[in-house]
Amino acid sequence: MFNLWLAFRSIKSKKNFNLTAIFSILGLSLGVASLVVSMVILTSYFGTLKKTVIDIYGHINMVRNLTYLPDKKIEDDIPEDLRKDILHITPFLNASAVSVHNGKMSAVFIQGFDPVTVNKVLNLKSRSVKGDPPFSGKDYSQDENPPIWVGKRLAEKFNLKVGENLNLVVPTNNALENFDPKVQQFNVKGTLSFGRYDYDLRYLITNVKALKEFADLKDRNFGYRIKIKDSELAPEFSKKFNQSLGSEKYWASSWRSINSNLFAAVDFEKWIIFFVMMIIIVVASFNVASTLFVNVLRQFKDIAVLKSLGLPAHQIKRVFLLQGMIIGLVGYTLGLILGFSLCYGFVFAQEKWNILNSKVYKLESLTLSYEVFDLFVIAVVCLLICFLATLVPAAKGGHLEPMKGFGYE
Amino acid sequence: MSNSFLMSAKQITKVFHQGDKNLRVLKGVDLNVHRGEALCILGSSGAGKSTFLHILGTLDSPTSGHVFFNGENLFLKNEKELANFRNKHLGFIFQFHHLLSEFNALENIMMPARIAGDSKSACKQRAEDLLGLMGLSDRATHFPSELSGGEKQRIAIARALMQKPDILLADEPTGNLDSDNGERIKNLFLKLQRELNLTIIVVTHDQNFAQSFPRVLKMKDGLWH
């Protein structure tokens, strides 16, 4: 405690707390801030991307093999040991179609969900932009046309308003093994933001019953979306599903495999960027070292006095190391504040000016999130580098011969 | 070794290397000091008296020779043991007081006890008593920059006395003071020696100052004169 007290007093003394010290702390803060910004933005990007995928696909996406038509429920197909970790299951149906409106045409992907169970697994309601949120409990059974929700970019492209009808065309096979087009009007109940540029341009949502009738799919449910207890275990689960169910029945994929390349790239880039940004902290730590060197030189006389009073060399070293640690801690704290401020600024700028091109990065907006572990690692790295940077000045202070400090007056 | 002496120095030499030249500052100096003795080393500037004092105080090491304290060879101790020895047994007073500018008078006086591991509350009373002994009770929270030269030197003496040392080593303690303050400091030394039975070794070039001491040794060109 005594050494810490000496270190504190030494740092806050007018002699040592000058512009050099302030600049070295600022340099360190900027380094930490850069690292914090990179980690938080990448974590947020990963998190937002993950949420987008989970909101729409759930944790596990199980697609049934077309040849497999069970006469029982999906639950009965799932092995006992995997069932305990499942929270909810909802069936879904996919169909490709062509949408036509106001003389414009676009290929689209329609997904039909079960209104009773869908909200337990997916979070489509939170994606609502205009009109009614999907599957909010409203009854559309008396309407002339079945309800549909469209991606916001498709709505923009077609200049489609809530309440208008949208024509959809699907191929149906006739007895001659040729395709006949089937056309139906759907009533647009709302627009959705799926959080991804390509989804917003191609995805349509309706209920499974309407899609079944329209696409002539009868009793077939193409797949199931599953929510499990821990989303991070989804890849492991999908692997187990596939091993135990066999690919002739279902093919399970986790939220991670929906965009596996992108998720893997973000994970990899995060650590690459971590090491690159860490170099900034290393560079900044040289400033800390030079500040402490100057402090040692300035405090030659004081070190000599303390030695004459009986302070041993190792305690003098400790005082300088503690000074480095204090500078590191202050730099880290300021860097953390600056970093998070920049992150919020970035999110604001993204909302306003779309800095991360949504076409390229597949995200419409970014929700800030961070991992305590990342901040902890940054703190450890920052303090460790400061510790290493102060070793040499501390050793110089510790080994100073008292008479050199007094200058042989 | 002769245990009857509190401190002894045997054949101390000190050579400084300056480029190609060797500067022999001490040329084989002996000294024996009894407990409770007040000794003054008198010499002109460059005589080697301060270097000798610093070697006695283990702030510098001799080129050859030995220093004994209670019969124990000091320079056989390691750095940590020497630091502990200085803290427990020696009190230093320098010409330029050498107070720590970032600490107030009371904190400066407490510093040796804090170094020894005492808490602030444990040593505060003694520091205040010493401040009172120096007649500076109203200066406890003053920083060195707010004190006069004489006051600073008295604070430095209080600091040197904090650990109840066996020996007080003073290097030109009045060299930087006017004659009035110099006189006060001298009288304070003699009073401390009488009342506390303190062993005092003072180095000075001031003959008037030296006259009051019962034992005066003169040094010239690194030898007793």
Side-chain angles (χ1 to χ4, degrees), chain B residues 48-68:
Chain B
K49 56 190 189 306
S50 287
T51 304
F52 184 58
L53 190 82
H54 294 145
I55 289 171
L56 290 180
T58 71
L59 293 179
D60 203 354
S61 53
T63 306
S64 67
H66 304 283
V67 176
F68 297 90

Side-chain angles (χ1 to χ4, degrees), chain B residues 4 44 94 104 106 116 119-120 138 151-152 159 182 213-214 225:
Chain B
S4 56
S44 56
F94 303 96
N104 67 30
L106 199 65
S119 68
K120 190 179 171 185
D138 56 339
E151 287 172 333
K152 283 179 202 168
R159 180 177 69 182
F213 282 77
H225 188 55

